[in-house]
Amino acid sequence: MSARSIFDAHFHIIDHAYPVVENNGFLPEQFGVPEYRARTESLGIVGGAVVSGSFQKFDQMYLVAALEQLGQGFVGVTQLPATVTDEDVVDLSERGVRGIRFNVARGGSASLDELDAFARRVHDVAGWHTELYVDAAHLDHLADVISRLPAVSIDHLGLSTEGLPVLLSLVERGVRVKATGFGRVELDVPSAIRQIMAVDPTALMFGTDLPSTRARRPFSDDDIDLLVAEVGEDDVEAVLRTNAERFYRVGELR
């Protein structure tokens, strides 16, 4: 595994030195940068995206601190209220934030009612893309809105078998998909990967989803082997690293 270079397109840092908010009775344990580095030491991680979770709501302090500790190659995805100023968006961009997340599944973010206007504004101001944590089965009525946005990704393979037709339709229209959270989804992971690859092999981006909060099964190193087996050697470098590096604009000045 260490022979491969991986961009971890989706993981969480949970640092109790900063505000952590209980969500639906759940409060995650500490999983700071040292814990993340120790867990992934053998994986060949060369960069990644720290993704804000429901338990962090709109706190930015933990994210800025995590990016400073992680250093080159790492970027952030944050949650913000729609009332955030353009100046604050630019400031976060300069600190390495590259996207905004709408956490429909767990809450703690702006709502989908604000999706179109907010997603377009942060893209215009700072080039940010939009990430959606939602069962794709619930996106049918928003498919046209989503497909017209400048840049979008959907977490965890869209979560469900019922959502897969909607997800594949969005992939046809340029939406990216995170191959993450295999232990939390309600679908046949190998089949979903093959179907996404058949539509657009540039759409898929791997992430560990560490520390796998509330998943039925946490991330396993074997999940990478599963992914590699399904995408094939011709596309494995793109799915494990370069698709995400391009999407997250890694290497731009911070």
Side-chain angles (χ1 to χ4, degrees), residues 123-229:
H123 185 271
D124 289 345
V125 168
W128 287 5
H129 65 262
T130 296
E131 303 197 358
L132 301 174
Y133 179 19
V134 59
D135 188 332
H138 301 154
L139 292 177
D140 197 23
H141 69 294
L142 284 172
D144 288 341
V145 171
I146 292 168
S147 64
R148 288 195 295 264
L149 292 176
V152 183
S153 71
I154 294 176
D155 293 348
H156 309 320
L157 299 171
L159 288 176
S160 73
T161 300
E162 293 75 14
L164 193 55
V166 178
L167 184 74
L168 294 173
S169 173
L170 289 170
V171 170
E172 286 182 346
R173 291 184 270 181
V175 171
R176 307 299 181 92
V177 179
K178 291 192 180 183
T180 54
F182 296 173
R184 70 169 74 247
V185 301
E186 300 288 345
L187 50 73
D188 183 323
V189 170
S191 175
I193 290 170
R194 290 193 299 271
Q195 291 181 68
I196 293 165
M197 291 294 293
V199 175
D200 182 1
T202 71
L204 209 58
M205 306 181 293
F206 166 74
T208 62
D209 189 35
L210 286 168
S212 307
T213 55
R214 287 184 278 194
R216 296 186 311 278
R217 172 183 68 77
F219 165 75
S220 166
D221 294 6
D222 292 340
D223 290 342
I224 301 176
D225 297 328
L226 182 157
L227 180 63
V228 168

